[in-house]
């Protein structure tokens, strides 16, 4: 009996090679250093054979198969570069070029043009390679050069297709498209988004969304995966169009949410010119969301970046030196009482930044008054959310799940790599359910969409808990059809052997969020589900671990933990008994807030002028117009420093310096260490983040390299009680004076306190801040158009918003994304609406 083998031997270009059974001829050739030109093939995509540039001769076959689609076989004899093959490839390529703006590709003077042309390239329509943003990086250009094509024997046909520029982040010039289908296959096979497809036929064939819709209208996530695989200049990034090829790359961690995707930062002349997904199998698997893919460049290169410390007094600002800034801070701190001194930090900072910040407050200022803006973001549900985080499962649990319930999660513009994982699992056959009051990414393709009215979401989760416990649902406020759907979801989750619950940010600012999240935890217990909280902040777990809260010491132990205090006193060489801990970030929202000194590190304090007698603002961008500050310090961005993060699954991730910070800006930890030394404090002689991590490992159980498990995850447990604001009052129903329900949510598309829309142009289209969403029916009844200003008034507030008409917005419901300082309670609440000019 013949023995089965998984290896085969074949001959390619007179070279005997071996390969695994099932590999294509192209795979085998590339594995053995034999170059075969391709234009439609890509390693992430299924073989297509559309460009036919990879045709080869196979002995025994009368035709010329494409190497990418033809399986290699044992004993096969292949020739890849015969004269006939090269001639056929050249002819095929000329057919491509006859409908491509290709004058430079076959021009006799292209080398002189490349060397001596100095015209600024800003052509709206590409008229040649020198005017193409892909010049020098174009695969069509490379294949043309490798085949030595210097003429086009076919009639030249310019398609004259208008360049599409209406969508954010990238433009599309389909005059350059060779219909290779890479973008279509990426969108359909890898992202599973199905936004792109072929349209029309023959000479009129083109690629794009159906029915002449824009990508925004068609549901595009703007992940940029199609741009990454385009072999020509058809798809081009707006912010990177004329930057050329990068000099080098640096792999780091994305800082825009708690997923923690790995990215490749593209660097040219010590400047970030773009970012691409890294091939990371544990988290993002070679994919990114719109923020990680497109927002880095504009965010870190903005011309408004702070480059020098400056002082502001009586609306006059002037630059000061670091020494002068440190002396001023020291003077103010020495005269400020510990109980009236506070530090506000961001959960976007690195573990090293956060550790030094809390140590500074406890050692130098003798107070526990350090808090994160995360407390303001999660509001009354903060403790309940942290409890859910404590049972976090890895992202890989989605891929292994048999049923998934999404609660308040929309993955279109944030955490879209999670959306890809869910769609992949759905393709495998899992059941997927979503609970959301508004239309979102999965509202159409979920098995069941539980759509409560705004503010009624808690009733639905509570009903699921009762149903999972074998009880009946008696709440008649839930429509009958929804009670049937709830029973179906509860039964499916209970019968599933590996269910997962994903928690989004949609309901986190509700006054009832504490009870809502507690009910989610109950449901997870009843059905045995893993929970993935997907925090909006990239380092929320790191802020807890480092002790950046008045209730917590490093290692997430309560400040009353005598043993932990004693260990810190021994390590830090100072007494920590009797430190004040009565202040937290909630106090900044009070009208009677009267701090003597407030230090905001990477955070945007929600304070009015005069809330603190002296405010230090340490960040990338100036605080105006969001808040006021007396002293402003320039800090390095995440692309300009080294450190580590903990994502939402407690995975330890590295952030690496790719470029130098602008001006004389410094990393946050470095600024605080220099200030501490200026004030004569001991224990702040750190010169590198590695030294900080070494000290952290001494006081934080599990932080040492040897204690991290094989997946890179810290085996930690949260064990503390956090102070939360809000009373969890029941929602008031609409009435004749206030016929609408307003749901306000804190902007989650932020970085270091600033909404991304402030510094990234495309973000203003995708996630604007301070805009009121209203249904088309309600807008028509009120005589409103997009952009109109309206007065929105409730029982205790009145605000003016610009209107955005959203077709999917439920009738009678309004939604506003706002900063923490603008959040009003109760939330949701009944309101009235009228045009501002009436």
């Amino acid at each position: 009996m013949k023995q089965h083998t998984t290896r085969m031997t074949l001959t390619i270009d007179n070279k005997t090679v071996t390969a695994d059974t099932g590999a294509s001829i192209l795979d085998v050739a590339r594995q053995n250093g034999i170059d075969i030109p391709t234009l439609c093939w890509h390693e992430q995509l299924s073989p297509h054979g559309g460009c036919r540039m990879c045709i080869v001769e196979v002995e025994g076959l009368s035709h010329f198969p494409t190497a990418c689609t033809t399986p290699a076989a044992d004993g096969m004899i292949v020739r890849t570069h015969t004269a006939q093959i090269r001639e056929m490839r050249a002819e095929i390529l000329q057919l491509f070029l006859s409908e491509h703006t290709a004058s430079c590709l076959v021009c006799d003077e292209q080398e002189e043009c490349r060397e001596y042309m100095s015209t600024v390239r800003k052509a709206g329509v590409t008229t040649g390679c020198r005017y193409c943003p892909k010049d020098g990086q174009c695969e069509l250009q490379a294949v043309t050069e490798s085949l030595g094509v210097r003429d086009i024997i076919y009639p030249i046909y310019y398609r004259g297709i208008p360049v599409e520029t209406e969508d954010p982040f990238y433009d599309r010039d389909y005059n350059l498209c060779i219909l290779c289908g890479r973008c279509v296959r990426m969108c359909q096979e890898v992202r599973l988004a199905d936004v792109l497809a072929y349209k029309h036929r023959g000479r009129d064939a083109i690629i794009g969304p159906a029915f002449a819709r824009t990508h925004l209208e068609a549901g595009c996530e703007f992940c940029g995966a199609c741009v990454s695989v385009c072999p020509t200049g058809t798809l081009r990034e707006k912010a990177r169009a004329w930057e050329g090829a990068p000099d080098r790359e640096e792999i780091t961690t994305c800082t825009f949410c708690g997923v923690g995707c790995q990215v490749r930062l593209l660097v040219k002349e010590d400047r970030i010119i773009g970012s691409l997904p890294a091939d990371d199998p544990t988290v993002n698997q070679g994919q990114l969301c719109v923020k990680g893919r497109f927002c880095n460049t504009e965010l870190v290169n903005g011309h408004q970046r702070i480059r020098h410390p400056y002082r502001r007094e009586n609306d006059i600002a002037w630059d000061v030196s670091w020494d002068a800034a440190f002396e001023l801070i020291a003077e103010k701190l020495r005269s400020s009482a510990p109980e009236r001194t506070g530090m506000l930090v961001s959960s976007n900072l690195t573990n090293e930044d956060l550790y030094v910040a809390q140590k500074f407050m406890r050692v130098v200022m003798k107070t526990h008054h350090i808090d994160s803006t995360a407390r303001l973001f999660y509001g009354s549900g903060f403790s309940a959310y942290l409890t859910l985080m404590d049972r976090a499962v890895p992202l890989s649990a989605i891929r292994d799940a048999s049923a998934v319930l999404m609660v308040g999660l929309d993955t279109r513009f944030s955490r879209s790599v999670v959306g890809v994982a869910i769609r992949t699992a759905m393709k495998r056959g899992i059941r997927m359910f979503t609970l959301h009051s508004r239309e979102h990414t999965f509202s159409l393709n979920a098995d069941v969409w539980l759509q409560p009215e705004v503010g009624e979401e808690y009733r639905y989760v509570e009903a699921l808990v009762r149903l999972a416990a074998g009880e009946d649902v008696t709440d008649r406020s839930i429509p009958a059809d929804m009670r049937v759907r709830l029973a179906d979801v509860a039964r499916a989750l209970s019968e599933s052997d590996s269910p997962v619950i994903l928690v989004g940010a949609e309901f986190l600012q509700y006054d009832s969020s504490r009870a809502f999240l507690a009910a989610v935890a109950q449901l997870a217990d009843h059905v045995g589900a893993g929970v993935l909280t997907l925090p909006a902040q990239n380092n929320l777990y790191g802020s807890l671990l480092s002790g950046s809260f008045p209730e917590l010491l490093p290692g997430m132990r309560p400040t009353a933990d005598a043993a932990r205090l004693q260990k810190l006193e021994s390590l830090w060489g100072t007494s920590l008994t009797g430190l004040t801990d009565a202040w937290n970030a909630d106090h900044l929202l009070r009208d009677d807030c009267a701090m003597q000194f407030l230090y905001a590190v990477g955070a945007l304090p929600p304070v009015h002028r005069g809330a603190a007698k002296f405010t230090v603002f340490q960040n990338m961008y100036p605080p105006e117009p969001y808040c006021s500050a007396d002293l402003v310090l320039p800090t390095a961005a995440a692309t300009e420093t080294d450190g580590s993060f903990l994502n939402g699954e407690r995975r330890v991730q590295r952030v690496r310096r790719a470029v130098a910070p602008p001006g004389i800006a410094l990393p946050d930890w470095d600024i605080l260490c220099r200030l501490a030394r200026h004030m004569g404090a001991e224990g702040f002689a750190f010169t590198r983040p590695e030294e900080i991590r070494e000290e952290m490992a001494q006081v934080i159980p599990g932080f040492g390299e040897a204690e991290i498990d094989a997946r890179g995850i810290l085996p930690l447990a949260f064990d503390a009680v956090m102070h939360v604001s809000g009373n969890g009052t029941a929602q008031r129903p609409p009435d004749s004076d206030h016929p609408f329900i307003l749901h306000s949510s804190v902007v989650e598309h932020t970085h270091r306190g600033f909404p991304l829309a402030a510094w990234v142009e495309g973000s203003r289209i995708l996630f604007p801040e301070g805009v009121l969403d209203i249904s088309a029916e309600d807008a028509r009844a009120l005589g409103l158009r997009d952009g109109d200003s309206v007065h929105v008034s409730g029982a205790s507030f009145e605000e003016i918003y610009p209107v955005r008409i959203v077709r999917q917005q439920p009738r009678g419901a309004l939604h506003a994304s706002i900063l923490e300082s603008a959040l009003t309670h109760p939330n949701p609440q009944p309101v009235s609406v009228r045009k501002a000019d009436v």
Side-chain angles (χ1 to χ4, degrees):
M1 185 175 181
K2 187 176 180 180
Q3 219 173 16
H4 177 72
T5 177
T6 59
R7 300 288 291 176
M8 57 184 170
T9 301
L10 60 155
T11 302
I12 304 180
D13 293 342
N14 299 318
K15 181 180 179 180
T16 301
V17 298
T18 60
D20 292 331
T21 301
S24 69
I25 294 175
L26 182 64
D27 293 333
V28 178
R30 294 197 171 216
Q31 290 166 9
N32 290 275
I34 300 171
D35 180 58
I36 299 177
T38 60
L39 286 172
C40 68
W41 179 87
H42 191 275
E43 59 187 356
Q44 290 181 279
L45 307 175
S46 64
H48 184 50
C51 73
R52 298 199 61 79
M53 296 306 299
C54 66
I55 55 173
V56 294
E57 286 185 6
V58 177
E59 193 167 294
L61 296 182
S62 59
H63 65 288
F64 300 96
T66 50
C68 65
T69 60
T70 305
D74 193 49
M76 181 179 277
I77 299 175
V78 181
R79 301 179 183 89
T80 69
H81 285 81
T82 65
Q84 187 177 13
I85 288 292
R86 288 183 62 84
E87 183 179 346
M88 292 177 66
R89 286 175 183 162
E91 189 165 356
I92 294 169
L93 183 60
Q94 289 180 69
L95 287 169
F96 279 126
L97 298 179
S98 68
E99 290 192 357
H100 184 87
T101 307
S103 56
C104 294
L105 291 175
V106 295
C107 180
D108 293 336
E109 299 177 350
Q110 59 175 292
E111 293 303 323
E112 291 82 358
C113 184
R114 180 182 288 115
E115 185 175 354
Y116 298 113
M117 193 193 78
S118 58
T119 304
V120 176
R121 298 181 292 177
K122 292 186 178 179
V125 176
T126 300
T127 56
C129 293
R130 301 296 87 79
Y131 292 90
C132 179
K134 207 72 178 282
D135 185 20
Q137 307 169 79
C138 174
E139 293 181 44
L140 181 63
Q141 188 179 49
V143 170
T144 303
E145 292 175 357
S146 69
L147 294 182
V149 174
R150 286 291 178 264
D151 197 8
I152 302 174
I153 63 174
Y154 297 100
I156 303 300
Y157 173 70
Y158 180 70
R159 305 181 72 187
I161 303 171
V163 178
E164 300 176 20
T165 61
E166 65 274 10
D167 286 322
F169 297 116
Y170 58 90
D171 300 328
R172 295 166 297 280
D173 183 357
Y174 286 111
N175 297 293
L176 304 178
C177 180
I178 60 173
L179 297 174
C180 67
R182 283 189 186 181
C183 56
V184 175
R185 283 176 288 145
M186 175 59 74
C187 192
Q188 294 183 357
E189 296 176 1
V190 178
R191 298 292 302 193
L192 301 173
D194 295 329
V195 172
L196 297 179
Y198 292 101
K199 302 188 296 183
H200 311 303
R201 294 181 179 180
R203 178 170 283 187
D204 297 325
I206 196 173
I207 287 171
F211 309 115
R213 294 176 298 174
T214 66
H215 286 58
L216 189 62
E217 294 167 339
C220 177
E221 296 175 344
F222 296 98
C223 63
C226 57
V227 183
S228 300
V229 297
C230 180
T232 68
T234 304
L235 306 179
R236 58 197 186 208
E237 299 178 39
K238 292 178 184 288
R240 190 189 155 201
W242 312 107
E243 297 288 357
D247 299 331
R248 56 186 175 88
E249 296 181 1
E250 187 69 62
I251 295 181
T252 188
T253 303
C254 179
T255 59
F256 292 126
C257 80
V259 175
C261 298
Q262 298 301 289
V263 299
R264 293 155 43 208
L265 295 176
L266 309 181
V267 183
K268 185 173 185 178
E269 298 175 354
D270 204 37
R271 181 173 175 270
I272 303 296
I273 64 169
S275 55
L276 296 172
D279 187 16
D280 173 46
T282 58
V283 181
N284 52 308
Q285 297 189 315
Q287 298 298 313
L288 287 177
C289 75
V290 60
K291 294 189 287 188
R293 180 65 172 81
F294 293 114
C295 292
N296 267 311
T297 307
E298 289 182 75
L299 181 69
V300 301
N301 293 324
H303 71 278
Q304 291 178 279
R305 285 283 303 271
I306 311 170
R307 287 166 168 77
H308 296 83
Y310 69 87
R311 175 85 188 273
R312 179 176 288 278
E313 190 172 3
N314 298 325
D315 293 326
I316 299 174
W318 66 95
D319 288 351
V320 297
S321 66
W322 276 115
D323 286 340
F326 291 149
E327 183 55 39
L328 178 62
I329 296 173
E331 174 189 333
K332 297 296 181 180
L333 283 174
R334 292 188 187 104
S335 61
S336 178
E339 63 272 13
R340 297 184 64 189
T341 302
M343 177 179 283
L344 188 67
V345 296
S346 165
S347 292
N348 293 134
L349 302 179
T350 66
N351 293 321
E352 295 77 11
D353 293 331
L354 293 165
Y355 178 81
V356 171
Q358 62 81 31
K359 183 179 179 181
F360 177 88
M361 292 303 290
R362 290 175 169 123
V363 172
V364 181
M365 296 313 302
K366 299 300 180 183
T367 179
H368 292 301
H369 288 179
I370 180 171
D371 203 2
S372 168
T373 51
R375 188 189 302 273
L376 302 175
F377 182 86
Y378 294 100
S380 63
F382 191 35
S383 279
Y385 189 83
L386 298 181
T387 301
L388 281 178
M389 277 187 66
D390 197 35
R391 59 174 76 194
V393 295
L395 284 169
S396 58
I398 298 175
R399 302 168 199 134
D400 301 329
S402 52
V404 169
L405 172 63
M406 297 168 53
V407 179
L409 178 63
D410 189 348
T411 64
R412 182 178 179 188
F413 297 136
S414 183
R415 316 173 186 87
S416 68
V417 297
V418 176
V420 174
I422 295 171
R423 289 193 289 265
T424 302
M426 291 175 65
K427 191 175 180 180
R428 177 169 51 82
I430 70 160
R431 297 202 70 189
M432 201 280 287
F433 315 105
T434 179
L435 191 157
H436 206 294
S437 55
R438 299 188 294 157
E439 284 200 27
H440 55 290
T441 313
F442 287 95
S443 53
L444 292 179
N445 51 5
D447 288 284
V448 176
W449 176 19
L450 301 172
Q451 187 183 16
E453 294 185 3
V454 172
E456 297 294 318
E457 295 83 3
Y458 169 67
R459 294 180 185 273
Y460 279 57
V461 178
E462 191 180 40
L464 286 173
V465 173
R466 292 202 302 270
L467 288 165
E471 303 174 14
D472 292 329
V473 175
T474 58
D475 191 342
R476 297 303 168 184
S477 65
I478 300 176
D481 64 323
M482 282 295 168
R483 292 201 297 272
V484 174
R485 295 184 185 186
L486 284 165
D488 181 23
V489 173
R491 182 169 52 254
L493 292 175
S494 299
E495 294 173 356
S496 172
D497 55 0
S498 54
V500 174
I501 300 176
L502 306 177
V503 181
E506 181 73 8
F507 318 130
L508 295 182
Q509 284 81 45
Y510 278 12
D511 288 350
S512 60
S513 65
R514 187 187 317 172
F516 175 82
L517 293 170
V520 172
Q522 281 184 288
L523 177 62
D525 288 338
H526 280 308
V527 301
V531 177
L532 203 53
T533 50
L534 304 172
Q537 299 80 16
N538 63 292
N539 202 24
L540 177 58
Y541 223 111
S543 64
L544 296 164
L545 187 71
S546 64
S548 301
F549 295 87
E551 303 95 331
L552 297 180
L553 295 170
M556 295 193 298
R557 300 302 302 167
T559 51
D561 187 328
R564 183 56 53 85
L565 280 171
Q566 185 176 7
K567 184 173 183 178
L568 289 173
E569 287 177 340
S570 175
L571 178 66
W572 291 346
T574 187
S575 173
L576 299 176
T577 57
L579 272 60
T580 56
D581 61 357
W583 176 88
N584 62 49
D586 283 335
H587 290 72
L588 297 173
L589 299 176
R590 299 179 182 176
D591 292 333
D592 60 351
C593 178
M595 302 288 291
Q596 286 182 325
F597 187 96
L598 178 65
Y599 199 149
V601 181
L604 195 65
V607 297
H608 54 277
R609 187 179 295 276
K613 289 186 177 180
F614 193 87
T615 300
V616 177
F617 184 81
Q618 182 172 305
N619 216 316
M620 296 167 54
Y621 285 95
E624 300 83 6
Y626 297 96
C627 68
S628 61
D630 301 284
L631 180 65
V632 178
L633 306 180
T635 188
T639 57
E640 300 155 359
T641 187
D642 290 307
S644 62
F645 294 122
L646 282 173
N647 73 348
E649 51 182 345
R650 302 191 302 274
R651 187 182 301 278
V652 181
Q653 298 176 304
R654 287 292 308 278
V655 58
R656 296 173 177 85
R657 171 174 164 148
V659 296
I664 59 173
L666 297 169
D668 290 294
W669 66 265
D670 197 4
I671 295 173
L672 291 168
C673 285
R674 294 184 188 212
L675 174 59
R677 294 197 297 267
H678 185 93
M679 297 180 68
E682 300 289 338
F684 291 88
F686 304 117
T687 59
R688 296 177 300 118
E690 291 80 2
E691 297 171 357
I692 303 172
R693 285 197 292 274
E694 289 174 4
E695 181 171 306
M696 293 176 70
Q698 298 180 51
V699 298
I700 299 176
F703 196 76
E705 293 289 338
E707 297 165 289
I708 301 173
D709 70 17
R711 300 169 298 171
I713 294 176
L714 284 176
L716 300 174
F718 179 75
D719 182 22
V721 177
M722 306 294 288
H723 168 77
V724 294
S725 60
N727 52 19
T729 55
Q731 175 190 319
R732 286 176 48 205
D735 54 45
S736 57
D737 293 330
H738 303 93
F740 295 93
I741 285 292
L742 172 64
H743 161 214
S744 299
S745 60
V746 173
V747 178
E748 68 167 305
H749 306 291
T750 62
H751 185 70
R752 298 177 68 98
F754 292 103
L756 287 177
W759 313 117
V760 181
E761 186 174 351
S763 298
R764 297 166 197 161
I765 299 174
L766 300 188
F767 21 84
E769 171 258 330
V771 175
L772 186 75
D773 291 341
I774 188 171
S775 71
E777 296 86 353
D778 290 332
R780 194 178 305 116
L782 294 169
L784 298 175
R785 297 182 179 180
D786 262 324
D788 284 351
S789 294
V790 294
H791 274 285
V792 180
S793 56
S796 59
F797 94 106
E798 183 170 355
E799 188 62 69
I800 297 178
Y801 295 107
V803 162
R804 181 174 65 168
I805 299 174
V806 179
R807 180 180 59 84
Q808 303 92 340
Q809 184 69 16
R811 193 169 185 176
L814 309 173
H815 177 263
S817 293
I818 55 181
L819 297 177
E820 289 105 337
S821 55
L823 190 62
T824 58
H825 296 278
N827 182 32
Q829 63 177 301
V831 296
S832 62
V833 178
R834 62 179 175 84
K835 290 186 72 170
D837 58 351
V838 174

